Amino acid sequence: MRKAAAVPLSVLGLGVAGVGYAAVLERNWFRLRRFDVPVLAPGQRPVRILQISDLHLTPRRHRLIKWVRSLAALDPDLVVNTGDTLAHPDAVESYMYAVEPLLDRPGLFVYGSNDLYAPRPKNPARYLWRTSKGDSRQHVPNLPWEELGAAMREAGWLDMNNATARLKVADLDVHVGGIHDSHIDRDRYDEIAGQAPADADLRLGVMHSPEPRNMSRFAEDGYQLLLAGHTHGGQLCIPFYGALVTNCGIDRARVKGLSRHESAWLHVSAGLGTSPYAPARFACPPEATLLTLVPRRPVVPDGTSSRKVR
């Protein structure tokens, strides 16, 4: 009887250890990912974009706040926040303190649903068979998203929710198109639709949730690089298999990292935080990303690239 009981106790012990690792260690194991993106014209110097996403910040996330502040040492040319910044009514001041060392350079932002609606307890297992679209069941925003946006705009960052803008980033003339969160049906691509200016050095599309229908419209309009968040990289993944779900329309293979979508490059951030009601990550550490834009590889006379794009 004692030997038979040892097996369930061992399994229970492994389960407890796994939960502890996911909730305490990996959740706070922040890392920086780096990618080179060949989108610039030959001869242009590299430009660095720092993408942060999905902080789901509460005032007591001191380690996260300190780590975000440290990102200023990367000296990015542009900072892009792809949404879901808040998870608490009093988090705006904490967030602005976190990004304060980055505010002296150009920045862009869009909102995610969690910037408007406070997190609520829910069964995370539901994500295995459905997305969280429409789950808020809240009709009036109850988080200070307007205060958040006003603070970033006052610091000089551009509000790209269903908007376009033109700005100088290092040596580049950049055209940006952005949309609000499709996860709560606030995206209005028709308001920014149309061919992006061909004379821009870079055409950048920004969104929170990477929905293929919007990504395709960006690509059709000539945007070269698309940035999104929302997925948390799957959040709870299986080693050597990857994400179980994406919580949106994108496929699992592109749940995080750099990939292609039709004619455009796409980067999906796995984000830095989690809902306070699901404070765990497994095989998917929290991350920010430094994207270094580099010149496209030269094209040989037969019309093919001189080297394969990795």
Side-chain angles (χ1 to χ4, degrees), residues 38 296-310:
R296 297 183 293 274
R297 294 181 176 89
V299 176
V300 296
D302 68 356
T304 61
S305 175
S306 61
R307 284 167 40 187
K308 291 183 179 180
V309 177
R310 293 185 297 174

Side-chain angles (χ1 to χ4, degrees), residues 118-132:
R120 297 163 56 123
K122 61 184 73 172
N123 177 9
R126 290 186 303 171
Y127 294 147
L128 294 176
W129 62 84
R130 51 166 292 187
T131 74
S132 62

